[in-house]
mmCIF file of all heavy atoms in Angstrom:
data_model
loop_
_atom_site.group_PDB
_atom_site.id
_atom_site.type_symbol
_atom_site.label_atom_id
_atom_site.label_comp_id
_atom_site.label_asym_id
_atom_site.label_seq_id
_atom_site.Cartn_x
_atom_site.Cartn_y
_atom_site.Cartn_z
ATOM 1 N N SER A 1541 47.774 1.139 -17.494
ATOM 2 C CA SER A 1541 48.681 0.147 -16.905
ATOM 3 C C SER A 1541 49.471 0.812 -15.802
ATOM 4 O O SER A 1541 50.091 1.865 -16.042
ATOM 5 C CB SER A 1541 49.645 -0.406 -17.956
ATOM 6 O OG SER A 1541 48.957 -1.123 -18.951
ATOM 7 N N ARG A 1542 49.430 0.221 -14.617
ATOM 8 C CA ARG A 1542 50.300 0.703 -13.539
ATOM 9 C C ARG A 1542 51.522 -0.204 -13.574
ATOM 10 O O ARG A 1542 51.551 -1.286 -12.995
ATOM 11 C CB ARG A 1542 49.596 0.619 -12.182
ATOM 12 C CG ARG A 1542 50.435 1.174 -11.034
ATOM 13 C CD ARG A 1542 50.473 2.665 -11.049
ATOM 14 N NE ARG A 1542 51.317 3.236 -10.010
ATOM 15 C CZ ARG A 1542 50.873 3.625 -8.820
ATOM 16 N NH1 ARG A 1542 49.585 3.502 -8.511
ATOM 17 N NH2 ARG A 1542 51.705 4.144 -7.948
ATOM 18 N N LEU A 1543 52.532 0.249 -14.290
ATOM 19 C CA LEU A 1543 53.693 -0.579 -14.589
ATOM 20 C C LEU A 1543 54.492 -0.913 -13.329
ATOM 21 O O LEU A 1543 55.044 -2.003 -13.185
ATOM 22 C CB LEU A 1543 54.571 0.142 -15.608
ATOM 23 C CG LEU A 1543 53.828 0.536 -16.908
ATOM 24 C CD1 LEU A 1543 54.682 1.466 -17.750
ATOM 25 C CD2 LEU A 1543 53.440 -0.706 -17.684
ATOM 26 N N ASN A 1544 54.602 0.045 -12.444
ATOM 27 C CA ASN A 1544 55.291 -0.106 -11.162
ATOM 28 C C ASN A 1544 54.841 1.074 -10.318
ATOM 29 O O ASN A 1544 53.937 1.821 -10.718
ATOM 30 C CB ASN A 1544 56.817 -0.127 -11.356
ATOM 31 C CG ASN A 1544 57.288 0.994 -12.260
ATOM 32 O OD1 ASN A 1544 57.010 2.165 -12.004
ATOM 33 N ND2 ASN A 1544 57.987 0.641 -13.333
ATOM 34 N N LYS A 1545 55.450 1.292 -9.181
ATOM 35 C CA LYS A 1545 54.984 2.371 -8.312
ATOM 36 C C LYS A 1545 55.168 3.736 -8.969
ATOM 37 O O LYS A 1545 54.412 4.662 -8.735
ATOM 38 C CB LYS A 1545 55.716 2.318 -6.971
ATOM 39 C CG LYS A 1545 55.078 3.209 -5.905
ATOM 40 C CD LYS A 1545 55.680 2.976 -4.545
ATOM 41 C CE LYS A 1545 54.921 3.783 -3.499
ATOM 42 N NZ LYS A 1545 55.469 3.573 -2.135
ATOM 43 N N ARG A 1546 56.173 3.891 -9.800
ATOM 44 C CA ARG A 1546 56.497 5.186 -10.401
ATOM 45 C C ARG A 1546 55.662 5.513 -11.634
ATOM 46 O O ARG A 1546 55.409 6.675 -11.906
ATOM 47 C CB ARG A 1546 57.969 5.196 -10.824
ATOM 48 C CG ARG A 1546 58.980 5.264 -9.714
ATOM 49 C CD ARG A 1546 60.382 5.451 -10.295
ATOM 50 N NE ARG A 1546 60.510 6.728 -10.997
ATOM 51 C CZ ARG A 1546 60.679 6.862 -12.304
ATOM 52 N NH1 ARG A 1546 60.721 5.804 -13.103
ATOM 53 N NH2 ARG A 1546 60.795 8.068 -12.864
ATOM 54 N N GLU A 1547 55.289 4.502 -12.415
ATOM 55 C CA GLU A 1547 54.772 4.762 -13.760
ATOM 56 C C GLU A 1547 53.320 4.312 -13.949
ATOM 57 O O GLU A 1547 52.923 3.228 -13.516
ATOM 58 C CB GLU A 1547 55.656 4.047 -14.783
ATOM 59 C CG GLU A 1547 57.106 4.536 -14.772
ATOM 60 C CD GLU A 1547 57.982 3.673 -15.655
ATOM 61 O OE1 GLU A 1547 58.266 2.515 -15.276
ATOM 62 O OE2 GLU A 1547 58.374 4.158 -16.734
ATOM 63 N N PHE A 1548 52.566 5.168 -14.655
ATOM 64 C CA PHE A 1548 51.144 4.906 -14.908
ATOM 65 C C PHE A 1548 50.865 5.388 -16.323
ATOM 66 O O PHE A 1548 50.917 6.589 -16.584
ATOM 67 C CB PHE A 1548 50.321 5.672 -13.876
ATOM 68 C CG PHE A 1548 48.858 5.346 -13.855
ATOM 69 C CD1 PHE A 1548 48.386 4.067 -14.063
ATOM 70 C CD2 PHE A 1548 47.928 6.341 -13.577
ATOM 71 C CE1 PHE A 1548 47.034 3.763 -14.013
ATOM 72 C CE2 PHE A 1548 46.566 6.056 -13.514
ATOM 73 C CZ PHE A 1548 46.123 4.773 -13.726
ATOM 74 N N SER A 1549 50.581 4.468 -17.237
ATOM 75 C CA SER A 1549 50.410 4.848 -18.634
ATOM 76 C C SER A 1549 48.943 4.775 -19.049
ATOM 77 O O SER A 1549 48.153 4.003 -18.491
ATOM 78 C CB SER A 1549 51.258 3.952 -19.542
ATOM 79 O OG SER A 1549 50.831 2.615 -19.447
ATOM 80 N N LEU A 1550 48.604 5.612 -20.034
ATOM 81 C CA LEU A 1550 47.237 5.673 -20.569
ATOM 82 C C LEU A 1550 47.286 5.341 -22.048
ATOM 83 O O LEU A 1550 48.042 5.962 -22.794
ATOM 84 C CB LEU A 1550 46.663 7.083 -20.371
ATOM 85 C CG LEU A 1550 45.257 7.336 -20.910
ATOM 86 C CD1 LEU A 1550 44.217 6.615 -20.052
ATOM 87 C CD2 LEU A 1550 44.958 8.838 -20.952
ATOM 88 N N ARG A 1551 46.481 4.392 -22.489
ATOM 89 C CA ARG A 1551 46.510 3.959 -23.878
ATOM 90 C C ARG A 1551 45.181 4.224 -24.568
ATOM 91 O O ARG A 1551 44.112 3.927 -24.007
ATOM 92 C CB ARG A 1551 46.875 2.482 -23.994
ATOM 93 C CG ARG A 1551 46.982 2.001 -25.449
ATOM 94 C CD ARG A 1551 47.771 0.736 -25.580
ATOM 95 N NE ARG A 1551 47.819 0.285 -26.962
ATOM 96 C CZ ARG A 1551 48.690 0.735 -27.873
ATOM 97 N NH1 ARG A 1551 49.592 1.651 -27.543
ATOM 98 N NH2 ARG A 1551 48.673 0.257 -29.119
ATOM 99 N N LEU A 1552 45.285 4.785 -25.773
ATOM 100 C CA LEU A 1552 44.147 4.949 -26.658
ATOM 101 C C LEU A 1552 44.319 3.906 -27.760
ATOM 102 O O LEU A 1552 45.257 3.978 -28.543
ATOM 103 C CB LEU A 1552 44.110 6.347 -27.277
ATOM 104 C CG LEU A 1552 43.701 7.512 -26.392
ATOM 105 C CD1 LEU A 1552 44.765 7.851 -25.364
ATOM 106 C CD2 LEU A 1552 43.391 8.733 -27.259
ATOM 107 N N GLU A 1553 43.451 2.928 -27.820
ATOM 108 C CA GLU A 1553 43.593 1.831 -28.789
ATOM 109 C C GLU A 1553 43.192 2.261 -30.194
ATOM 110 O O GLU A 1553 43.813 1.879 -31.174
ATOM 111 C CB GLU A 1553 42.760 0.631 -28.354
ATOM 112 C CG GLU A 1553 43.280 -0.092 -27.130
ATOM 113 C CD GLU A 1553 44.603 -0.827 -27.372
ATOM 114 O OE1 GLU A 1553 45.043 -0.932 -28.548
ATOM 115 O OE2 GLU A 1553 45.206 -1.298 -26.401
ATOM 116 N N SER A 1554 42.123 3.038 -30.286
ATOM 117 C CA SER A 1554 41.636 3.488 -31.591
ATOM 118 C C SER A 1554 41.112 4.913 -31.408
ATOM 119 O O SER A 1554 39.967 5.114 -31.022
ATOM 120 C CB SER A 1554 40.533 2.558 -32.104
ATOM 121 O OG SER A 1554 40.032 3.017 -33.343
ATOM 122 N N ALA A 1555 41.983 5.879 -31.651
ATOM 123 C CA ALA A 1555 41.662 7.268 -31.318
ATOM 124 C C ALA A 1555 40.472 7.791 -32.126
ATOM 125 O O ALA A 1555 40.307 7.459 -33.313
ATOM 126 C CB ALA A 1555 42.882 8.149 -31.547
ATOM 127 N N ALA A 1556 39.666 8.631 -31.460
ATOM 128 C CA ALA A 1556 38.512 9.271 -32.082
ATOM 129 C C ALA A 1556 38.607 10.774 -31.869
ATOM 130 O O ALA A 1556 39.205 11.218 -30.871
ATOM 131 C CB ALA A 1556 37.226 8.728 -31.465
ATOM 132 N N PRO A 1557 38.017 11.574 -32.763
ATOM 133 C CA PRO A 1557 38.058 13.038 -32.594
ATOM 134 C C PRO A 1557 37.541 13.499 -31.231
ATOM 135 O O PRO A 1557 38.015 14.510 -30.695
ATOM 136 C CB PRO A 1557 37.180 13.548 -33.736
ATOM 137 C CG PRO A 1557 37.319 12.511 -34.798
ATOM 138 C CD PRO A 1557 37.403 11.197 -34.053
ATOM 139 N N SER A 1558 36.601 12.747 -30.626
ATOM 140 C CA SER A 1558 36.069 13.114 -29.308
ATOM 141 C C SER A 1558 37.125 13.003 -28.201
ATOM 142 O O SER A 1558 36.902 13.483 -27.076
ATOM 143 C CB SER A 1558 34.874 12.226 -28.954
ATOM 144 O OG SER A 1558 35.269 10.864 -28.914
ATOM 145 N N GLN A 1559 38.243 12.373 -28.509
ATOM 146 C CA GLN A 1559 39.323 12.247 -27.517
ATOM 147 C C GLN A 1559 40.350 13.376 -27.631
ATOM 148 O O GLN A 1559 41.350 13.380 -26.900
ATOM 149 C CB GLN A 1559 40.004 10.882 -27.649
ATOM 150 C CG GLN A 1559 39.068 9.729 -27.285
ATOM 151 C CD GLN A 1559 39.701 8.368 -27.442
ATOM 152 O OE1 GLN A 1559 40.205 8.028 -28.526
ATOM 153 N NE2 GLN A 1559 39.691 7.576 -26.392
ATOM 154 N N THR A 1560 40.091 14.322 -28.508
ATOM 155 C CA THR A 1560 40.914 15.526 -28.552
ATOM 156 C C THR A 1560 40.749 16.266 -27.233
ATOM 157 O O THR A 1560 39.620 16.599 -26.838
ATOM 158 C CB THR A 1560 40.473 16.428 -29.721
ATOM 159 O OG1 THR A 1560 40.775 15.769 -30.946
ATOM 160 C CG2 THR A 1560 41.183 17.777 -29.662
ATOM 161 N N SER A 1561 41.852 16.482 -26.530
ATOM 162 C CA SER A 1561 41.770 17.057 -25.190
ATOM 163 C C SER A 1561 43.184 17.305 -24.673
ATOM 164 O O SER A 1561 44.174 16.981 -25.333
ATOM 165 C CB SER A 1561 41.038 16.074 -24.260
ATOM 166 O OG SER A 1561 40.749 16.679 -23.012
ATOM 167 N N VAL A 1562 43.253 17.879 -23.483
ATOM 168 C CA VAL A 1562 44.522 17.957 -22.763
ATOM 169 C C VAL A 1562 44.459 16.920 -21.650
ATOM 170 O O VAL A 1562 43.496 16.891 -20.876
ATOM 171 C CB VAL A 1562 44.772 19.359 -22.178
ATOM 172 C CG1 VAL A 1562 46.110 19.386 -21.440
ATOM 173 C CG2 VAL A 1562 44.742 20.414 -23.273
ATOM 174 N N TYR A 1563 45.476 16.075 -21.585
ATOM 175 C CA TYR A 1563 45.493 14.982 -20.617
ATOM 176 C C TYR A 1563 46.502 15.283 -19.509
ATOM 177 O O TYR A 1563 47.650 15.623 -19.774
ATOM 178 C CB TYR A 1563 45.853 13.670 -21.314
ATOM 179 C CG TYR A 1563 44.756 13.200 -22.226
ATOM 180 C CD1 TYR A 1563 44.670 13.671 -23.541
ATOM 181 C CD2 TYR A 1563 43.787 12.306 -21.790
ATOM 182 C CE1 TYR A 1563 43.642 13.270 -24.386
ATOM 183 C CE2 TYR A 1563 42.761 11.888 -22.619
ATOM 184 C CZ TYR A 1563 42.696 12.375 -23.916
ATOM 185 O OH TYR A 1563 41.676 11.974 -24.743
ATOM 186 N N PHE A 1564 46.036 15.154 -18.275
ATOM 187 C CA PHE A 1564 46.901 15.382 -17.116
ATOM 188 C C PHE A 1564 47.020 14.115 -16.293
ATOM 189 O O PHE A 1564 46.038 13.432 -16.020
ATOM 190 C CB PHE A 1564 46.338 16.483 -16.217
ATOM 191 C CG PHE A 1564 46.475 17.862 -16.788
ATOM 192 C CD1 PHE A 1564 45.400 18.482 -17.391
ATOM 193 C CD2 PHE A 1564 47.687 18.544 -16.706
ATOM 194 C CE1 PHE A 1564 45.516 19.766 -17.922
ATOM 195 C CE2 PHE A 1564 47.813 19.814 -17.224
ATOM 196 C CZ PHE A 1564 46.736 20.427 -17.842
ATOM 197 N N CYS A 1565 48.238 13.844 -15.884
ATOM 198 C CA CYS A 1565 48.519 12.779 -14.933
ATOM 199 C C CYS A 1565 48.765 13.435 -13.578
ATOM 200 O O CYS A 1565 49.289 14.566 -13.509
ATOM 201 C CB CYS A 1565 49.756 12.007 -15.384
ATOM 202 S SG CYS A 1565 50.295 10.713 -14.248
ATOM 203 N N ALA A 1566 48.390 12.761 -12.509
ATOM 204 C CA ALA A 1566 48.625 13.287 -11.164
ATOM 205 C C ALA A 1566 49.002 12.146 -10.227
ATOM 206 O O ALA A 1566 48.685 10.977 -10.495
ATOM 207 C CB ALA A 1566 47.388 14.014 -10.635
ATOM 208 N N SER A 1567 49.671 12.495 -9.142
ATOM 209 C CA SER A 1567 49.971 11.494 -8.115
ATOM 210 C C SER A 1567 49.696 12.130 -6.761
ATOM 211 O O SER A 1567 49.676 13.353 -6.620
ATOM 212 C CB SER A 1567 51.424 11.025 -8.200
ATOM 213 O OG SER A 1567 52.318 12.029 -7.767
ATOM 214 N N SER A 1568 49.455 11.284 -5.760
ATOM 215 C CA SER A 1568 49.173 11.822 -4.430
ATOM 216 C C SER A 1568 49.477 10.786 -3.357
ATOM 217 O O SER A 1568 49.614 9.591 -3.621
ATOM 218 C CB SER A 1568 47.701 12.252 -4.326
ATOM 219 O OG SER A 1568 46.853 11.115 -4.283
ATOM 220 N N GLU A 1569 49.566 11.300 -2.143
ATOM 221 C CA GLU A 1569 49.753 10.460 -0.969
ATOM 222 C C GLU A 1569 49.007 11.121 0.169
ATOM 223 O O GLU A 1569 49.054 12.354 0.292
ATOM 224 C CB GLU A 1569 51.245 10.340 -0.635
ATOM 225 C CG GLU A 1569 51.560 9.278 0.398
ATOM 226 C CD GLU A 1569 51.369 7.874 -0.141
ATOM 227 O OE1 GLU A 1569 51.704 7.615 -1.301
ATOM 228 O OE2 GLU A 1569 50.866 7.027 0.623
ATOM 229 N N ARG A 1570 48.359 10.358 1.003
ATOM 230 C CA ARG A 1570 47.624 10.950 2.114
ATOM 231 C C ARG A 1570 48.615 11.589 3.073
ATOM 232 O O ARG A 1570 49.585 10.961 3.488
ATOM 233 C CB ARG A 1570 46.810 9.903 2.835
ATOM 234 C CG ARG A 1570 45.821 10.502 3.826
ATOM 235 C CD ARG A 1570 44.890 9.476 4.382
ATOM 236 N NE ARG A 1570 44.057 8.874 3.333
ATOM 237 C CZ ARG A 1570 42.943 8.195 3.604
ATOM 238 N NH1 ARG A 1570 42.558 8.043 4.843
ATOM 239 N NH2 ARG A 1570 42.253 7.654 2.632
ATOM 240 N N GLY A 1571 48.354 12.855 3.419
ATOM 241 C CA GLY A 1571 49.274 13.612 4.250
ATOM 242 C C GLY A 1571 49.033 13.402 5.733
ATOM 243 O O GLY A 1571 48.014 12.864 6.151
ATOM 244 N N VAL A 1572 49.980 13.869 6.539
ATOM 245 C CA VAL A 1572 49.897 13.732 7.997
ATOM 246 C C VAL A 1572 48.660 14.450 8.522
ATOM 247 O O VAL A 1572 47.988 13.991 9.445
ATOM 248 C CB VAL A 1572 51.180 14.301 8.651
ATOM 249 C CG1 VAL A 1572 51.047 14.336 10.160
ATOM 250 C CG2 VAL A 1572 52.381 13.464 8.239
ATOM 251 N N GLY A 1573 48.334 15.586 7.921
ATOM 252 C CA GLY A 1573 47.189 16.372 8.374
ATOM 253 C C GLY A 1573 45.855 15.850 7.880
ATOM 254 O O GLY A 1573 44.812 16.455 8.136
ATOM 255 N N GLY A 1574 45.867 14.763 7.148
ATOM 256 C CA GLY A 1574 44.614 14.181 6.689
ATOM 257 C C GLY A 1574 44.209 14.601 5.298
ATOM 258 O O GLY A 1574 43.199 14.140 4.784
ATOM 259 N N GLY A 1575 44.973 15.477 4.682
ATOM 260 C CA GLY A 1575 44.652 15.893 3.318
ATOM 261 C C GLY A 1575 45.219 14.920 2.309
ATOM 262 O O GLY A 1575 45.752 13.872 2.654
ATOM 263 N N ASN A 1576 45.118 15.263 1.050
ATOM 264 C CA ASN A 1576 45.600 14.400 -0.023
ATOM 265 C C ASN A 1576 45.954 15.262 -1.214
ATOM 266 O O ASN A 1576 45.192 15.356 -2.162
ATOM 267 C CB ASN A 1576 44.520 13.383 -0.389
ATOM 268 C CG ASN A 1576 45.020 12.361 -1.406
ATOM 269 O OD1 ASN A 1576 45.388 12.699 -2.506
ATOM 270 N ND2 ASN A 1576 45.035 11.112 -1.024
ATOM 271 N N GLU A 1577 47.110 15.912 -1.162
ATOM 272 C CA GLU A 1577 47.484 16.824 -2.228
ATOM 273 C C GLU A 1577 47.850 16.069 -3.481
ATOM 274 O O GLU A 1577 48.738 15.208 -3.479
ATOM 275 C CB GLU A 1577 48.665 17.708 -1.817
ATOM 276 C CG GLU A 1577 49.089 18.669 -2.930
ATOM 277 C CD GLU A 1577 50.131 19.664 -2.493
ATOM 278 O OE1 GLU A 1577 50.560 19.607 -1.325
ATOM 279 O OE2 GLU A 1577 50.510 20.503 -3.322
ATOM 280 N N GLN A 1578 47.160 16.365 -4.567
ATOM 281 C CA GLN A 1578 47.495 15.810 -5.860
ATOM 282 C C GLN A 1578 48.502 16.719 -6.532
ATOM 283 O O GLN A 1578 48.312 17.928 -6.592
ATOM 284 C CB GLN A 1578 46.259 15.675 -6.742
ATOM 285 C CG GLN A 1578 45.280 14.616 -6.281
ATOM 286 C CD GLN A 1578 44.194 14.389 -7.297
ATOM 287 O OE1 GLN A 1578 44.418 13.925 -8.399
ATOM 288 N NE2 GLN A 1578 42.976 14.706 -6.912
ATOM 289 N N PHE A 1579 49.557 16.124 -7.049
ATOM 290 C CA PHE A 1579 50.562 16.852 -7.823
ATOM 291 C C PHE A 1579 50.339 16.498 -9.291
ATOM 292 O O PHE A 1579 50.330 15.321 -9.650
ATOM 293 C CB PHE A 1579 51.973 16.456 -7.385
ATOM 294 C CG PHE A 1579 52.312 16.920 -5.996
ATOM 295 C CD1 PHE A 1579 51.946 16.173 -4.891
ATOM 296 C CD2 PHE A 1579 52.991 18.110 -5.800
ATOM 297 C CE1 PHE A 1579 52.252 16.597 -3.602
ATOM 298 C CE2 PHE A 1579 53.311 18.546 -4.519
ATOM 299 C CZ PHE A 1579 52.935 17.786 -3.414
ATOM 300 N N PHE A 1580 50.180 17.539 -10.119
ATOM 301 C CA PHE A 1580 49.868 17.322 -11.519
ATOM 302 C C PHE A 1580 51.103 17.487 -12.392
ATOM 303 O O PHE A 1580 51.982 18.310 -12.112
ATOM 304 C CB PHE A 1580 48.805 18.318 -11.979
ATOM 305 C CG PHE A 1580 47.422 17.988 -11.504
ATOM 306 C CD1 PHE A 1580 47.011 18.350 -10.231
ATOM 307 C CD2 PHE A 1580 46.540 17.309 -12.328
ATOM 308 C CE1 PHE A 1580 45.734 18.033 -9.783
ATOM 309 C CE2 PHE A 1580 45.265 16.991 -11.902
ATOM 310 C CZ PHE A 1580 44.856 17.360 -10.620
ATOM 311 N N GLY A 1581 51.119 16.730 -13.483
ATOM 312 C CA GLY A 1581 52.134 16.907 -14.497
ATOM 313 C C GLY A 1581 51.792 18.090 -15.388
ATOM 314 O O GLY A 1581 50.744 18.711 -15.227
ATOM 315 N N PRO A 1582 52.656 18.389 -16.374
ATOM 316 C CA PRO A 1582 52.453 19.557 -17.239
ATOM 317 C C PRO A 1582 51.403 19.344 -18.322
ATOM 318 O O PRO A 1582 50.999 20.298 -18.981
ATOM 319 C CB PRO A 1582 53.828 19.788 -17.853
ATOM 320 C CG PRO A 1582 54.438 18.426 -17.859
ATOM 321 C CD PRO A 1582 53.940 17.740 -16.633
ATOM 322 N N GLY A 1583 50.953 18.112 -18.525
ATOM 323 C CA GLY A 1583 49.899 17.852 -19.505
ATOM 324 C C GLY A 1583 50.412 17.416 -20.864
ATOM 325 O O GLY A 1583 51.543 17.710 -21.252
ATOM 326 N N THR A 1584 49.548 16.691 -21.587
ATOM 327 C CA THR A 1584 49.781 16.301 -22.981
ATOM 328 C C THR A 1584 48.611 16.823 -23.793
ATOM 329 O O THR A 1584 47.463 16.498 -23.498
ATOM 330 C CB THR A 1584 49.868 14.776 -23.141
ATOM 331 O OG1 THR A 1584 51.011 14.279 -22.454
ATOM 332 C CG2 THR A 1584 49.951 14.398 -24.617
ATOM 333 N N ARG A 1585 48.932 17.638 -24.801
ATOM 334 C CA ARG A 1585 47.874 18.174 -25.655
ATOM 335 C C ARG A 1585 47.724 17.253 -26.850
ATOM 336 O O ARG A 1585 48.626 17.142 -27.669
ATOM 337 C CB ARG A 1585 48.225 19.589 -26.104
ATOM 338 C CG ARG A 1585 47.093 20.297 -26.834
ATOM 339 C CD ARG A 1585 47.460 21.753 -27.109
ATOM 340 N NE ARG A 1585 47.575 22.519 -25.886
ATOM 341 C CZ ARG A 1585 46.561 23.105 -25.264
ATOM 342 N NH1 ARG A 1585 45.339 22.995 -25.754
ATOM 343 N NH2 ARG A 1585 46.764 23.815 -24.175
ATOM 344 N N LEU A 1586 46.580 16.570 -26.935
ATOM 345 C CA LEU A 1586 46.328 15.578 -27.985
ATOM 346 C C LEU A 1586 45.250 16.072 -28.936
ATOM 347 O O LEU A 1586 44.180 16.498 -28.498
ATOM 348 C CB LEU A 1586 45.888 14.252 -27.364
ATOM 349 C CG LEU A 1586 45.475 13.157 -28.349
ATOM 350 C CD1 LEU A 1586 46.671 12.694 -29.171
ATOM 351 C CD2 LEU A 1586 44.847 11.976 -27.626
ATOM 352 N N THR A 1587 45.551 15.997 -30.223
ATOM 353 C CA THR A 1587 44.573 16.326 -31.265
ATOM 354 C C THR A 1587 44.361 15.092 -32.126
ATOM 355 O O THR A 1587 45.323 14.497 -32.598
ATOM 356 C CB THR A 1587 45.058 17.486 -32.141
ATOM 357 O OG1 THR A 1587 45.266 18.638 -31.312
ATOM 358 C CG2 THR A 1587 44.021 17.822 -33.203
ATOM 359 N N VAL A 1588 43.092 14.736 -32.311
ATOM 360 C CA VAL A 1588 42.757 13.599 -33.174
ATOM 361 C C VAL A 1588 41.984 14.120 -34.386
ATOM 362 O O VAL A 1588 40.909 14.720 -34.244
ATOM 363 C CB VAL A 1588 41.917 12.543 -32.433
ATOM 364 C CG1 VAL A 1588 41.643 11.354 -33.351
ATOM 365 C CG2 VAL A 1588 42.617 12.083 -31.166
ATOM 366 N N LEU A 1589 42.566 13.909 -35.551
ATOM 367 C CA LEU A 1589 41.956 14.435 -36.782
ATOM 368 C C LEU A 1589 41.022 13.426 -37.428
ATOM 369 O O LEU A 1589 41.197 12.213 -37.266
ATOM 370 C CB LEU A 1589 43.071 14.838 -37.763
ATOM 371 C CG LEU A 1589 44.076 15.871 -37.221
ATOM 372 C CD1 LEU A 1589 45.182 16.076 -38.222
ATOM 373 C CD2 LEU A 1589 43.368 17.181 -36.909
#
Side-chain angles (χ1 to χ4, degrees):
Chain A
S1541 295
R1542 183 75 183 266
L1543 304 169
N1544 47 55
K1545 193 171 186 179
R1546 288 187 64 247
E1547 298 172 288
F1548 189 37
S1549 63
L1550 178 72
R1551 183 160 178 84
L1552 286 71
E1553 290 292 350
S1554 178
S1558 60
Q1559 294 178 305
T1560 293
S1561 189
V1562 180
Y1563 290 85
F1564 287 101
C1565 176
S1567 71
S1568 72
E1569 191 70 39
R1570 191 172 297 197
V1572 173
N1576 186 298
E1577 179 173 1
Q1578 291 189 66
F1579 292 84
F1580 284 82
T1584 295
R1585 188 174 294 274
L1586 175 67
T1587 300
V1588 182
L1589 303 175

